[in-house]
């Protein structure tokens, strides 16, 4: 217990003057309000840190909300893309079916047209053959008639053949 030692309080003791100066220094600090200023500075610093923490929490909440919104938009976009893909596939199937139907229809029309042209060509060829046969028959008849008139002979087979030609031509 050095505090109760009488030598401590002797005026020539430097430790006494250091203690008095220290006590006086603390009194001056209290009177000047240094502790209040330091407390106010610490409170201001704490308030600033708290506001920064609050701001960081608010920004984090905004970022989480934005992330949630982006994920929802991504899911919606993926759903729309899948729906568009299904619609495009359905459209492609419909277009394929329509194209097949149109192709079959076109082929049927072309086949019918070709058959009509073939029938017309056959009819024309038949008409040309008939015309050539009629022309040949008429020339033969003319020659026969010319020969009959000049010889005045009658050939019964020739007469029957001429009758058959006129019946077959009609």
């Amino acid at each position: 217990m050095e505090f109760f030692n009488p030598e401590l309080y002797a005026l020539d003791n430097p430790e006494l003057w250091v203690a008095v100066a220290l006590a006086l220094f603390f009194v001056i600090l209290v009177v000047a309000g240094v502790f209040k200023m330091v407390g106010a500075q610490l409170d201001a610093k704490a308030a600033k840190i708290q506001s920064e923490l609050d701001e960081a929490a608010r920004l984090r909440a905004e970022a989480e909300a934005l992330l949630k919104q982006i994920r929802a938009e991504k899911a919606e976009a993926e759903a729309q893309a899948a729906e568009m893909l299904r619609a495009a596939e359905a459209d492609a199937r419909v277009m394929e079916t329509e194209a097949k139907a149109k192709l079959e229809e076109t082929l049927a029309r072309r086949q019918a047209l070709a058959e009509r042209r073939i029938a017309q060509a056959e009819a024309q060829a038949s008409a040309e053959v008939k015309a050539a046969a009629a022309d040949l028959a008429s020339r033969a008849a003319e020659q026969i008639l010319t020969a009959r008139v000049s010889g005045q002979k009658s050939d019964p087979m020739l007469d029957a053949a001429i009758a058959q030609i006129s019946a077959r031509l009609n």
Side-chain angles (χ1 to χ4, degrees), residues 38-105:
V38 169
Q41 287 292 329
L42 290 176
D43 287 344
K45 190 73 161 174
K48 181 179 177 185
I49 290 171
Q50 185 62 43
S51 70
E52 288 176 358
L53 287 174
D54 292 343
E55 179 69 15
R58 184 186 65 78
L59 289 174
R60 180 178 178 168
E62 285 180 11
E64 287 174 352
L66 185 60
L67 179 63
K68 185 178 178 182
Q69 178 184 358
I70 289 171
R71 285 181 179 163
E73 288 175 358
K74 178 185 174 192
E76 181 181 338
E78 287 175 350
Q80 285 179 350
E83 179 61 31
M84 290 173 68
L85 182 61
R86 283 192 295 274
E89 288 172 350
D91 288 346
R93 284 191 295 275
V94 167
M95 291 173 75
E96 179 184 12
T97 304
E98 289 176 356
K100 283 182 181 178
K102 286 182 180 178
L103 179 62
E104 289 174 3
E105 180 183 322

Side-chain angles (χ1 to χ4, degrees), residues 21-158:
L22 184 63
L24 210 88
F25 177 72
F26 281 123
V27 169
I28 291 172
L29 287 178
V30 169
V31 170
V34 170
F35 293 115
K36 288 182 183 176
M37 287 189 327
V38 169
Q41 287 292 329
L42 290 176
D43 287 344
K45 190 73 161 174
K48 181 179 177 185
I49 290 171
Q50 185 62 43
S51 70
E52 288 176 358
L53 287 174
D54 292 343
E55 179 69 15
R58 184 186 65 78
L59 289 174
R60 180 178 178 168
E62 285 180 11
E64 287 174 352
L66 185 60
L67 179 63
K68 185 178 178 182
Q69 178 184 358
I70 289 171
R71 285 181 179 163
E73 288 175 358
K74 178 185 174 192
E76 181 181 338
E78 287 175 350
Q80 285 179 350
E83 179 61 31
M84 290 173 68
L85 182 61
R86 283 192 295 274
E89 288 172 350
D91 288 346
R93 284 191 295 275
V94 167
M95 291 173 75
E96 179 184 12
T97 304
E98 289 176 356
K100 283 182 181 178
K102 286 182 180 178
L103 179 62
E104 289 174 3
E105 180 183 322
T106 302
L107 289 176
R109 264 197 323 261
R110 287 186 179 179
Q111 183 177 359
L113 180 64
E115 289 173 357
R116 278 197 311 267
R117 286 184 180 172
I118 290 170
Q120 286 175 351
E122 287 175 352
Q124 185 178 1
S126 177
E128 288 176 0
V129 167
K130 285 181 183 180
D135 186 41
L136 184 62
S138 66
R139 273 192 260 141
E142 182 182 339
Q143 288 174 355
I144 292 171
L145 287 175
T146 306
R148 210 186 247 182
V149 170
S150 38
Q152 286 294 323
K153 289 183 180 177
S154 175
D155 185 6
M157 283 180 68
L158 192 55

